[in-house]
Amino acid sequence: MKRQLELGKHEGEIPDDVVGRVARCNAEHGRDAVRAARAASREFGRTPLAVRAKMLNDIHNAVLSRVEEFEELLVAEGHPRRLARWEISGVLRGCDPATIEWYGTQLHQTYDFQGRTVELVRKPDGVVCINPPQNAAGSNGGLGILALLAGNTLVVKAPRSSPLSVAWFYREIVVPVLEQYGAPAGTVNVISAGANEVLEGWLDDPDVDDVFFFGDSVAGLRLGEECVRRGKKPILELAGNDGFVVWRDADLDAAARALIESFYGSSQICMVPKYAVVHPAVADEFLATLIPLVEALRPGFPEDETTLLSPVLKTDKYFDFLSQARAAGAAVLCGGRRVDVHGEEAADGVFLQPTVIRVDGLADSRRLSAVREETFFPLLPVVVPGEGDPADDADLLDAVVEFLDDNEYGLRNSLWTGSREIADEVAASLRKGGMLKINDSHIGFTSYLSTHGGTGKTGGVYGEMNFVGLRTSHVQGISWGNGDPQPLDELVTR
């Protein structure tokens, strides 16, 4: 029905199932949006940081006051209710008072030095254009508010397949706050159009400063190179292949419950665990704990409180990866079939059973696509070090850290251990990734930490934890002199 409506082929009255409409834009609308953002850019950029911080606090409170409405909108777009609540928690945590206060310490610093006042100020890049992913458009599109905190103006492209939550968030939550503070028209602009024409327009437009892109690593890295070639800053949020380590002294029950997060949205989320490495001394016990939890997961309608799984788009690739793993000797411990919304096996089912495979041997496991590449479907490899891997725990830990760092992606990693010494060693040694979670929810959000960001194929060569308010700004130094035009030339002796 949605497709028929988009094509203008639906006949008769619009049914009650339609919960909202978003205008479809063309290339000229996209250019108008950028021009409006540029026209507002300098005025909005002069807004004092303290005022912009108040705006963000008010936006945070506005989301809090309309959480239920936001949740119902995401459910209407097909997000399982539990997943929708998690997404909204990310929006709220990303702009909570503690995090905004921390941003203030980074965006403006002042020091007194030998009769001078020195300021380090992060200035806005200007016009930031955001292309959120269609699977989580509302929450990820909402990251643009942190670019506002830095003093930028925005153009946000709402995906044509799921535009409503993006349009609602900015129209109903953000714009009223901006108007209350007298922000100029054009500070925020939302368009919904085809991705290719919009992205090409942004690359061509001299008024675009930053392109914030969510998507596939191949396309995203290519776009990043093109942005740099055309003098624009790319901010990339691409694929993930997160590792999850369970050491021999871990709380196995807690670790198993955390690893179930792998199957949120049928694993069609970049920041869920994509593979686990389990110490061989506890592998059998851990899997005996994990498998019943996985088998209890069932598909269902998004409004159902117990539903965790979503319809799967890349079913062909799932079966290709699974077949390759089986041929290489991996054991399928559960799952492996296509099912319908009721969990019944069905050749045309749009769901896949959550699947766990055991892969023995750390050294050779990266040969498997299911371990080496991002799996955007519910297929979880559990790698158990074995023959050919170090037997000594200290050497094995080094091998596991090296294994995590050899990952071509770099979003998040998790470690479960009962030893502070082991945790300290991993925290000090691990280089890859935007975040390391230790004895904690892998996908949980925390004040002071960004919700996104990573290295390698996740964030490109400049990838790191993505503090959007910092990534869309640049440092300017300001020195307030004392009226003496002579440079400071005293030798610094201590």
Side-chain angles (χ1 to χ4, degrees):
M1 182 185 70
K2 179 176 183 294
R3 186 61 178 150
Q4 293 298 307
L5 288 167
E6 290 173 344
L7 296 173
K9 295 181 179 180
H10 184 84
E11 297 181 359
E13 295 183 3
I14 302 298
D16 293 338
D17 303 55
V18 175
V19 296
R21 302 184 189 185
V22 176
R24 187 166 62 191
C25 301
N26 57 32
E28 184 58 34
H29 295 133
R31 287 190 290 271
D32 288 344
V34 172
R35 283 193 288 267
R38 173 59 68 199
S41 177
R42 193 165 296 279
E43 180 182 347
F44 184 71
R46 286 196 295 262
T47 304
L49 174 58
V51 175
R52 300 197 305 265
K54 288 180 180 179
M55 291 180 185
L56 266 290
N57 283 325
D58 286 355
I59 289 171
H60 176 268
N61 291 333
V63 175
L64 273 176
S65 69
R66 301 180 72 173
V67 162
E68 292 182 1
E69 188 177 353
F70 197 0
E71 178 184 317
E72 293 303 326
L73 196 61
L74 293 176
V75 170
E77 284 190 328
H79 299 228
R81 189 172 296 281
R82 289 171 64 185
L83 180 58
R85 289 172 180 166
W86 168 72
E87 291 178 71
I88 295 170
S89 74
V91 174
L92 288 167
R93 191 62 69 191
C95 65
D96 68 8
T99 303
I100 298 306
E101 182 179 1
W102 175 83
Y103 262 110
T105 68
Q106 305 301 302
L107 291 168
H108 195 161
Q109 301 172 49
T110 304
Y111 304 94
D112 291 323
F113 176 72
Q114 295 186 348
R116 288 167 169 81
T117 297
V118 175
E119 290 184 273
L120 296 176
V121 185
R122 295 199 72 96
K123 293 296 182 74
D125 289 342
V127 175
V128 176
C129 296
I130 303 178
N131 180 80
Q134 63 181 15
N135 67 318
S139 56
N140 289 324
L143 287 173
I145 61 176
L146 295 168
L148 292 175
L149 176 64
N152 298 288
T153 55
L154 298 180
V155 178
V156 185
K157 187 191 80 63
R160 280 188 56 183
S161 60
S162 54
L164 189 57
S165 57
V166 177
W168 178 89
F169 181 81
Y170 279 99
R171 177 174 174 143
E172 300 294 326
I173 298 293
V174 177
V175 167
V177 172
L178 295 178
E179 290 178 338
Q180 176 186 342
Y181 283 88
T187 301
V188 163
N189 308 269
V190 178
I191 58 173
S192 182
N196 291 336
E197 62 178 331
V198 170
L199 288 171
E200 191 59 41
W202 290 347
L203 288 171
D204 286 338
D205 200 320
D207 283 330
V208 171
D209 295 295
D210 296 355
V211 176
F212 189 1
F213 177 83
F214 290 78
D216 168 77
S217 288
V218 174
L221 293 174
R222 188 184 304 123
L223 175 70
E225 292 176 358
E226 191 62 23
C227 283
V228 172
R229 192 177 72 82
R230 303 201 198 186
K232 304 178 190 306
K233 180 192 289 184
I235 302 166
L236 305 177
E237 284 296 339
L238 309 177
N241 187 25
D242 290 10
F244 186 102
V245 176
V246 181
W247 204 242
R248 68 185 306 156
D249 54 5
D251 181 333
L252 300 185
D253 289 336
R257 292 198 305 274
L259 189 53
I260 288 296
E261 294 171 355
S262 170
F263 299 109
Y264 266 59
S266 292
S267 308
Q268 297 170 114
I269 300 170
C270 60
M271 64 178 65
V272 300
K274 300 293 186 178
Y275 68 90
V277 178
V278 182
H279 194 289
V282 295
D284 290 341
E285 182 181 357
F286 178 75
L287 288 168
T289 303
L290 176 68
I291 297 305
L293 298 178
V294 176
E295 291 178 330
L297 299 175
R298 293 286 186 273
F301 293 102
E303 58 269 25
D304 187 335
E305 293 276 354
T306 63
T307 296
L308 192 63
L309 306 177
S310 301
V312 178
L313 298 177
K314 299 181 179 180
T315 53
D316 290 345
K317 202 169 184 180
Y318 162 86
F319 285 110
D320 289 344
F321 279 25
L322 185 58
S323 296
Q324 183 203 46
R326 276 180 164 144
V332 180
L333 304 183
C334 66
R337 294 180 175 82
R338 189 193 295 265
V339 294
D340 62 19
V341 71
H342 305 293
E344 300 296 328
E345 189 170 352
D348 59 349
V350 297
F351 291 87
L352 294 171
Q353 290 177 326
T355 305
V356 178
I357 60 175
R358 175 171 175 156
V359 180
D360 286 296
L362 188 67
D364 294 333
S365 63
R366 286 269 188 230
R367 296 180 182 179
L368 298 182
S369 297
V371 178
R372 184 180 66 256
E373 300 179 27
E374 181 189 47
T375 52
F376 222 60
F377 36 76
L379 174 59
L380 175 66
V382 175
V383 179
V384 181
E387 187 176 347
D389 298 313
D392 177 76
D393 267 7
D395 292 338
L396 180 59
L397 185 65
D398 287 343
V400 169
V401 170
E402 190 69 26
F403 185 79
L404 295 176
D405 271 341
D406 281 344
N407 188 355
E408 293 182 342
Y409 303 83
L411 188 51
R412 297 184 176 201
N413 289 296
S414 274
L415 169 68
W416 283 83
T417 178
S419 165
R420 181 57 187 256
E421 182 180 356
I422 295 295
D424 286 342
E425 177 68 21
V426 174
S429 302
L430 188 65
R431 297 180 179 180
K432 186 66 71 71
M435 189 183 300
L436 171 63
K437 305 297 285 288
I438 299 175
N439 296 334
D440 198 4
S441 163
H442 187 89
I443 63 173
F445 301 110
T446 305
S447 298
Y448 306 107
L449 297 180
S450 173
T451 56
H452 290 69
T455 55
K457 286 185 176 180
T458 295
V461 293
Y462 300 109
E464 58 183 15
M465 174 164 277
N466 188 358
F467 289 102
V468 177
L470 306 185
R471 295 289 298 280
T472 59
S473 61
H474 53 276
V475 178
Q476 182 182 87
I478 303 173
S479 175
W480 297 82
N482 56 12
D484 182 357
Q486 298 302 313
L488 289 173
D489 56 5
E490 301 94 332
L491 290 176
V492 177
T493 58
R494 56 176 179 163

